[in-house]
Amino acid sequence: MDFNPAYLNVFSKEQAWHYRILPKLNDDTGLILLCDESENIISLSDELEIVLGKRIILDPQPAATISQLLNLHYPKENGQHQFAKMTLAIEGDGFLNDLIREARTLKSSDIHIEIYEERCRVRIRIDGMMVERYVLKKSDYPALINKIKIMANLDIAEKRLPQDGRINFKMNEEQFDIRVSILPTLHGEKVVLRLLNNNAANIDLKHVGFSDFDLENYMQGIKRPNGIILISGPTGSGKTTTLYATLKYLNKETRNILTIEDPIEYTLQGINQVQLKESIGLTFASALRTFLRQDPDVIMVGEIRDPETANMAIRAALTGHLVLSTVHTNSAWGTVSRLMDMGIPPFLVANTLNTSVAQRLLRLLCNNCKEEAPFDASLYPKQFKPFAPISRHYLAKGCDKCYHTGYSGRKAVYEVIPLDHELSHEIKQGNLYINPLLAERGIKTLGENAFALFANGQTTIEEIYPLLFTN
């Protein structure tokens, strides 16, 4: 298709969407436009000649192709993209590039390309939720998978084993990495493309979602010269973003900062970042062992997965370094028992754990379509005692602006526990029930912070429901 982006300004965005047209050629003889083949070509041509004041020649294209190009080159404000499932016949190599660009424009984190017995589909994850975007012809699927494998330098002949790779993608002036995961399934290979955000310019600790009280506690922790700061939460809860915002704050000429990550999601100037490669023996634990000989001030470990990594992190903290890492637990205090389960003695946990943080990402209601309704207390979990009385709440309805999900954007909620002498003493004594002590210090749990969002009408009871069990 001879679509020419150089002529995008020939008409306005509103005209492009209203008439479903895109420029192909503009010269003295007239204007050649791509248009939706389902339109009445003759009447559309006559109307466009009057509106644009030029001789018009129309080149009809499938409706799905026009919608894809309009979303890509004439994006609507506030994410108001036409978001309907489209059955596509893939022609040439352009589809994959356009798909990645479109996902990036929509601020999607992942692209899922899947094959089943009767159909193939493309889904993208927006605000943590999967949305089906395209339906593909099954005959086009193998060529698309091979194209991805070639771009990621993977073996196109291997179809029985999982493969992992990486694509460095350039989009206009932006350059970012894509992590590729290929999984053999019953009917063929499923591909997940994780779009990594290399640009850390907009990451700031003050804007990631901390309340003023939690931010103050967190800042006191990262200003200490040594100890471990652990951030807990499930996959996709924003832990890495919080870590990078912390590294960006700590990144000074006077500090030597080393990181071991899998994968490296952001690149930060002035920080020495190492990519994990377990296939050649470069693990979190082995990298940490080397880091201690590199005269570090701050060490960031992508994740504490096993006892060996935990022991090396403890050792690094004991020898006067500030260690940042993540761990999978349900709450901030649950990190303590997790470390003990890995074989770390309670006195070492008490002496090295500096600050424990738990976080989640909650979807926010779309302000364009949320609907107020009376609240029924039976919607709460059994035996849950609400932190405040609620008589009205908002429902997620769905509209074009939010892709009919009812939600638009996400916000992080935190639970920050700074370890002081009294809490450290409780750890040494093996007492893991410290809720009264946290209440004395005014520390709010994940459930309390999530409930505050719900009470303010920013999210729904369904979004905060899982967090009400963490109290």
Side-chain angles (χ1 to χ4, degrees), residues 7 14 29 39 49 163 188 202 264 277 285 296 304 362 374 405 436 438 446-447 453 461:
Y7 303 126
E14 290 72 21
T29 62
E39 299 285 341
E49 286 188 354
Q163 295 189 68
N202 297 323
I264 297 173
K277 293 179 183 174
I304 294 181
L362 294 178
T405 62
L438 298 184
L446 278 173
L453 281 183
I461 186 66

Side-chain angles (χ1 to χ4, degrees), residues 226-251:
N226 53 42
I228 299 178
I229 294 176
L230 287 180
I231 302 176
S232 66
T235 302
S237 59
K239 302 187 300 294
T240 304
T241 301
T242 303
L243 277 181
Y244 277 107
T246 307
L247 289 176
K248 188 177 177 184
Y249 175 82
L250 295 172
N251 188 14

Side-chain angles (χ1 to χ4, degrees), residues 249-300:
Y249 175 82
L250 295 172
N251 188 14
K252 304 285 191 295
E253 286 186 7
T254 54
R255 290 193 181 101
N256 178 24
I257 302 177
L258 302 171
T259 75
I260 173 71
E261 307 168 56
D262 182 31
I264 297 173
E265 294 195 26
Y266 298 85
T267 53
L268 290 168
Q269 188 72 27
I271 291 178
N272 305 283
Q273 298 172 266
V274 179
Q275 170 67 50
L276 184 81
K277 293 179 183 174
E278 290 185 333
S279 59
I280 59 171
L282 182 55
T283 63
F284 285 128
S286 63
L288 267 172
R289 204 171 285 114
T290 304
F291 283 1
L292 293 178
R293 298 192 288 270
Q294 286 281 320
D295 186 31
D297 296 296
V298 180
I299 296 172
M300 193 270 266

Side-chain angles (χ1 to χ4, degrees), residues 3-213:
F3 168 70
N4 195 332
Y7 303 126
L8 286 173
N9 294 325
V10 170
F11 40 79
S12 69
K13 181 191 301 184
E14 290 72 21
Q15 290 173 325
W17 278 95
H18 179 74
Y19 294 109
R20 294 181 60 75
I21 53 174
L22 292 111
K24 181 176 180 180
L25 183 64
N26 182 24
D27 58 22
D28 296 335
T29 62
L31 184 59
I32 303 178
L33 304 175
L34 303 178
C35 72
D36 190 331
E37 62 185 7
S38 62
E39 299 285 341
N40 185 320
I41 305 300
I42 296 175
S43 62
L44 179 62
S45 176
D46 292 342
E47 184 172 346
L48 286 172
E49 286 188 354
I50 296 172
V51 171
L52 301 178
K54 278 198 168 193
R55 179 172 175 267
I56 300 297
I57 302 171
L58 297 179
D59 182 358
Q61 299 291 334
T65 302
I66 295 298
S67 293
Q68 183 187 359
L69 289 172
L70 285 171
N71 276 326
L72 185 62
H73 297 287
Y74 292 100
K76 291 185 177 181
E77 295 178 2
N78 300 321
Q80 299 176 41
H81 296 264
Q82 178 166 323
F83 217 77
K85 297 179 215 175
M86 307 171 186
T87 302
L88 294 182
I90 301 171
E91 299 175 359
D93 297 335
F95 171 75
L96 180 59
N97 291 334
D98 287 344
L99 175 64
I100 294 171
R101 290 191 183 98
E102 181 184 31
R104 190 68 168 181
T105 303
L106 296 173
K107 298 181 180 178
S108 169
S109 60
D110 301 87
I111 303 171
H112 291 242
I113 304 173
E114 304 161 313
I115 185 168
Y116 303 96
E117 185 175 4
E118 300 294 337
R119 65 198 290 263
C120 308
R121 67 178 179 180
V122 175
R123 293 188 294 170
I124 63 177
R125 188 180 294 277
I126 300 176
D127 293 337
M129 185 63 64
M130 299 283 283
V131 181
E132 187 166 316
R133 184 69 181 102
Y134 297 114
V135 176
L136 308 178
K137 291 189 175 180
K138 200 167 182 180
S139 58
D140 293 330
Y141 195 82
L144 178 61
I145 300 304
N146 285 340
K147 173 70 175 173
I148 293 171
K149 287 183 175 180
I150 290 169
M151 290 177 69
N153 294 316
L154 299 177
D155 184 359
I156 63 172
E158 180 55 75
K159 301 182 185 298
R160 300 168 300 167
L161 295 173
Q163 295 189 68
D164 294 304
R166 204 176 183 97
I167 297 171
N168 185 262
F169 195 83
K170 293 182 179 179
M171 173 178 156
N172 301 327
E173 299 299 319
E174 186 183 14
Q175 185 169 318
F176 57 93
D177 289 334
I178 301 170
R179 188 171 61 178
V180 180
S181 175
I182 298 180
L183 175 71
T185 65
L186 179 62
H187 301 290
E189 292 175 290
K190 169 186 166 70
V191 178
V192 176
L193 306 177
R194 166 65 62 90
L195 279 61
L196 304 177
N197 187 0
N198 289 355
N199 182 14
N202 297 323
I203 301 177
D204 192 318
L205 267 180
K206 294 179 181 178
H207 302 129
V208 294
F210 284 111
S211 67
D212 292 340
F213 180 74

Side-chain angles (χ1 to χ4, degrees), residues 416-436:
V416 180
I417 301 178
L419 271 291
D420 55 26
H421 293 297
E422 190 175 0
L423 291 176
S424 296
H425 178 73
E426 294 296 324
I427 295 175
K428 291 176 184 177
Q429 297 299 316
N431 180 16
L432 298 182
Y433 180 75
I434 45 84
N435 284 6

